[in-house]
Amino acid sequence: LVVWVIEVCEAIASNPNVIGFQACYLLDRLFFLRKELDQVSYRGKFQLLAMACIRIAMKFAEGEDGSDLGQHLVHYADYAYSLQALVAAEEAVLRWLDWKVNAVTPNCLLTLYMSQLQPMHPDVH
């Protein structure tokens, strides 16, 4: 599942490493917080939940509005799920995570530090 998430992020995201990490982080938190997702009845929905996590990560990190993104994700899942199912899964994931979707990554910290260094040292890129 993680390999699929990374492959999809590489295909559709402008910053696939950040988006892939964020999506996997959300998925990991989701499985940790919602132990019932490990039951057999939910196993067929893992890809749908991963799609929802990718969509949330893209919206959060890149400000993507999600309109074309949803269609791309449905395509990458070989049309196994509808756009409506994806939206419903996204809403469920956000509710289950209590809307706490921010993951502080090393890239976030590096960007912050670099922005602080820029005025002091203009030659730092």
Side-chain angles (χ1 to χ4, degrees), residues 68-83:
D68 290 338
L69 177 60
Q71 291 297 336
H72 287 303
L73 290 170
V74 168
H75 167 75
Y76 281 104
D78 294 327
Y79 301 94
Y81 307 100
S82 67
L83 186 56

Side-chain angles (χ1 to χ4, degrees), residues 40-85:
V40 175
S41 60
Y42 281 98
R43 292 210 178 132
K45 306 287 185 196
F46 283 177
Q47 188 178 34
L48 179 60
L49 294 172
M51 292 166 59
C53 289
I54 292 170
R55 192 164 186 224
I56 293 166
M58 288 280 291
K59 286 180 176 181
F60 188 79
E62 294 187 352
E64 186 72 34
D65 70 357
S67 55
D68 290 338
L69 177 60
Q71 291 297 336
H72 287 303
L73 290 170
V74 168
H75 167 75
Y76 281 104
D78 294 327
Y79 301 94
Y81 307 100
S82 67
L83 186 56
Q84 293 79 12

